[in-house]
Amino acid sequence: SVQGVVGLLEELGFAPRVEPVERGASVRMEHCPFGDMADAYRRIVCTVHLGMMQGALAGLGAAFQADSLEPFAEPGVCVAHLGELSAKA
């Protein structure tokens, strides 16, 4: 579930906040515990964080998937965009 991933992000120190959007949710991460490293190695750090969320959602059998991550969408805030899983044929 989304709450399971939010709990994981809380434990890691991301200070996440979920905002529902049409057909999904946005997770605002208002603190990055790897902020200094993300400044220099954004592509690597943010890709790892997106992969972690994707794996956690899949492992929890959530109805959502992590579609993308916007690094520093606002000063000091990264935003993960979650979308509903498409129905399987």
Side-chain angles (χ1 to χ4, degrees):
S1 76
V2 173
Q3 290 306 319
V5 171
V6 168
L8 173 64
L9 293 170
E10 284 175 349
E11 287 179 28
L12 294 172
F14 284 93
R17 190 177 73 205
V18 177
E19 295 179 346
V21 296
E22 187 176 335
R23 300 183 59 87
S26 291
V27 179
R28 294 174 53 85
M29 293 171 282
E30 299 183 358
H31 175 263
C32 179
F34 305 98
D36 292 338
M37 194 181 323
D39 284 340
Y41 302 101
R42 181 178 302 181
R43 187 171 166 187
I44 295 168
V45 171
C46 298
T47 299
V48 168
H49 293 161
L50 177 60
M52 177 187 69
M53 286 184 277
Q54 290 169 332
L57 286 164
L60 292 168
F64 294 93
Q65 62 190 7
D67 294 327
S68 63
L69 178 73
E70 275 185 82
F72 306 107
E74 299 171 20
V77 178
C78 296
V79 180
H81 299 282
L82 310 182
E84 294 177 346
L85 287 174
S86 51
K88 294 180 181 177

